[in-house]
Amino acid sequence: MRVLVVGSGGREHALAWAISASPLVDRLFCAPGNAGIAEEAECIAIGATDIKGLVRFCRGEQIDFVVVGPEAPLVLGLVDALEAEGVAAFGPTAAASAIEASKAFAKDFFARAQIPTAAYRRFRDPAAAKAFIASRGAPIVVKADGLAGGKGVVVADDLDAAYRAVDAALVERRFGTAGLEIVVEDFLAGEEASFFALVDGKDALPLASAQDYKRVGDGDIGPNTGGMGAFSPSPIVTPVVEGVVMEHIVLPAIAAMGREGCVFKGVLYAGLMLTEAGPMLLEFNARFGDPECQVLMMRLMSDPLPALIAAHDGVLKSVDLRWHADSALCVVMAANGYPGEPQRGSEIRGLDTAASDPKVKIFHAGTRRENQRLIADGGRVLGVTALGRDLAEVRGRAYAAIDQIDWHEGFCRRDIGSRSREN
Ligand code: AMP
């Protein structure tokens, strides 16, 4: 088969790495890819959101199967455009990706599907939002409706902070059209974890759980980022919790989307709060997480490609995946300045030595090659990923690898994997 992976981050490197080992693959392409992906696939200079360019490439190169990594091309309708041209593609349609793109749409949908989630109301009028907030009390959560780059959610400890969040979105228009509407919802106390499932429109194949780290600094301080680290499995997602998540969250969502004529195929990523009353859904995403994908691919023993194809073909029932019982952990190395303006152009050395342990894989995100040198070219630059018996072992292995990387213009969190109850 001729396969194309779309995207250029660590998630797409992990997907390309796992898919490149498939005996089904004759040629693997990635658009646009990065310096690490270039070691697994042929990178082509077409942007992930250049829908027309990607469709043209797939027709010209007779691509048999496309795997879309990031949310932006999904929301722009890449899968719809490819399917319309007869090119099979893994991922939801633009309509089905609305489950991620609009929080207001998503919350109404959770209610219709009777999925356990925080009680909420939607607002466009700031005075009405504030009156509702005053009636509910703090803590309370204010969310901009649309995609706001991880900055649209405020967990307000007091009423003033909540009112300020309302004004930021509805009066100051700080999120542009993504904040024309807000969702105000109850604060949920508990521990957060993610759960991933492959979906073929009717059936779901549970993948695995993970926990991630969104803040830039140790101890969960500082601004939000795209993700500074992750590990899998999450010790708090026990088999019993997994069963509840599948029965009360994942399967009702798939059934309701089918009923509503918006069939979902792809990866359903459930962001969960494990509360005293059981798992509650914070949000769905319509794709793998980054860096959660890196830890999932590290733990996956089976070839992922037949499962992705089965999800597309609607025959997931026949698929079984095998996983390492071991833990995987990914520590993201970012360029100084991230998540603000990252410093670009510095050289990274020592990756070969750092990755010499067979249980370590370094996934690239923002990297490029200049002659033979590896150059940092983005905010999140590397995802140092390891496999080990438990979280303590895997954390030691990942940080030992990091300590061999010679890159003074980059940084990482030092506490990935040390938050879990087991530690
Ligand atoms: P979201 O984009 O909806 O996942 O929200 C981003 C983050 O805000 C989550 O990962 C949680 O840490 C926090 N959060 C969102 N909603 C709630 C809630 N209802 N209660 C407590 N924390 C929340």
Side-chain angles (χ1 to χ4, degrees), residues 148-404:
K151 300 188 179 74
V153 175
V154 173
V155 178
D157 292 328
D158 54 56
L159 293 180
D160 273 344
Y163 299 155
R164 279 198 302 277
V166 170
D167 285 338
L170 296 182
V171 179
E172 294 151 31
R173 295 269 179 254
R174 213 173 289 165
F175 310 112
T177 53
L180 287 177
E181 181 166 353
I182 58 171
V183 169
V184 177
E185 69 177 39
D186 285 354
F187 173 81
L188 299 174
E191 286 199 63
E192 277 185 76
S194 316
F195 192 76
F196 296 83
L198 281 183
V199 177
D200 71 359
K202 321 177 284 293
D203 292 310
L205 177 70
L207 296 176
S209 62
Q211 280 176 245
D212 72 333
Y213 295 76
K214 282 272 183 286
R215 302 274 176 173
V216 76
D218 285 18
D220 285 330
I221 54 163
N224 257 324
T225 69
M228 294 302 290
F231 60 84
S232 172
S234 160
I236 56 178
V237 182
T238 60
V240 170
V241 171
E242 176 177 329
V244 174
V245 170
M246 287 302 292
E247 188 187 336
H248 294 290
I249 296 178
V250 173
L251 294 173
I254 301 167
M257 288 187 89
R259 274 199 306 275
E260 297 184 3
C262 187
V263 170
F264 187 94
K265 292 182 178 187
V267 178
L268 198 57
Y269 161 162
L272 305 167
M273 187 69 85
L274 304 184
T275 72
E276 279 183 356
M280 308 271 268
L281 183 64
L282 290 177
E283 61 165 357
F284 276 133
N285 291 310
R287 33 95 198 162
F288 282 112
D290 184 339
E292 292 95 326
C293 187
Q294 290 85 315
V295 288
L296 295 187
M297 291 305 123
M298 201 73 178
R299 289 187 56 219
L300 182 61
M301 294 165 79
S302 308
D303 179 353
L305 190 55
L308 302 181
I309 296 170
H312 170 270
D313 292 347
V315 293
L316 258 188
K317 261 212 163 93
S318 61
V319 175
D320 193 20
L321 291 173
R322 295 187 61 211
W323 299 86
H324 285 286
D326 291 2
S327 291
L329 178 136
C330 175
V331 181
V332 169
M333 297 189 77
N336 288 343
Y338 180 76
E341 198 47 51
Q343 186 183 331
R344 287 170 195 267
S346 56
E347 183 174 0
I348 305 164
R349 296 193 198 86
L351 286 201
D352 288 345
T353 326
S356 58
D357 182 335
K359 290 192 169 175
V360 171
K361 174 74 187 172
I362 300 176
F363 295 114
H364 292 223
T367 63
R368 66 183 161 85
R369 287 235 182 249
E370 207 174 85
N371 304 319
Q372 291 308 312
R373 297 154 65 220
L374 185 67
I375 306 293
D377 193 27
R380 293 188 295 166
V381 174
L382 300 170
V384 179
T385 310
L387 199 59
R389 213 173 40 235
D390 53 28
L391 275 179
E393 181 182 300
V394 76
R395 195 169 63 230
R397 183 167 284 134
Y399 282 108
I402 282 179
D403 290 339
Q404 292 180 297

Side-chain angles (χ1 to χ4, degrees), residues 393-415:
E393 181 182 300
V394 76
R395 195 169 63 230
R397 183 167 284 134
Y399 282 108
I402 282 179
D403 290 339
Q404 292 180 297
I405 296 175
D406 180 7
W407 181 36
H408 297 288
E409 293 81 3
F411 71 97
C412 65
R413 277 181 64 159
R414 283 274 157 190
D415 63 346

